[in-house]
Amino acid sequence: MTARDPSFAIPGRPERTYPRSGGVEYEGETVFALTPDADRSDGDLDALVADVLESGPYRSGDFMELPMPLYLVRDEETTDVFRVTVRNCAIQLHVLPETESVGLRRFYDRLCERSECEWSVVCRTDFG
C-alpha cells in the first residue's frame, strides 16, 4: 500500500457491549495508524487534526480528561463515526462497529490536503 493509496479496508469490527455496571465497552479493535514522514510532535499533529475537523463536514468532540487528544468524530456527509487519537507521533483512526472505509478515507484525504508531508498507513487489529 503506497502512502497516497491506502485501501482502508476494515478487516474486523469491534463488538459493542453494555455491561450491567453501566457504560459501554468494545471487544476487539481495528486501528489505522497514520504516521507522517517528517518529524511532528503530538501537539503539531493534534493541531492538524483540529484543523481538519474544523474545516468540516465533521461534528466532533474531545471527550474526557486524558493524557492524549481523543475525539469522537462523525462525518456529516457519509454518517461514518470513528474515534481519532494522537499519540506517539501518529494519528490513529479507531474503527467503531458502524464505521465504513469511505469515512476513514475521506478523513485521510483531507489530512493529506492540509499537510506538507507524505503519510504511511498501517492497520492493526486485536480480536481475541
Side-chain angles (χ1 to χ4, degrees), residues 10-104:
I10 298 171
R13 297 174 188 285
E15 273 190 49
R16 186 178 289 136
T17 59
Y18 301 94
R20 288 185 181 263
S21 59
V24 63
E25 294 178 358
Y26 293 95
E27 295 179 17
E29 179 178 56
T30 296
V31 177
F32 290 90
L34 287 56
T35 307
D37 68 353
D39 287 337
R40 299 284 198 296
S41 70
D42 284 351
D44 291 341
L45 293 176
D46 184 35
L48 180 58
V49 167
D51 181 48
V52 170
L53 295 175
E54 288 174 15
S55 299
Y58 298 106
R59 186 170 18 159
S60 65
D62 181 5
F63 62 96
M64 301 176 149
E65 291 294 323
L66 297 173
M68 66 177 186
L70 172 63
Y71 301 92
L72 181 62
V73 176
R74 175 184 163 94
D75 183 319
E76 293 294 340
E77 292 176 0
T78 66
T79 68
D80 283 312
V81 177
F82 50 94
R83 289 189 314 246
V84 177
T85 61
V86 177
R87 74 186 318 180
N88 301 327
C89 300
I91 297 169
Q92 299 176 353
L93 308 180
H94 296 257
V95 172
L96 295 174
E98 299 83 15
T99 305
E100 296 295 336
S101 297
V102 66
L104 301 173

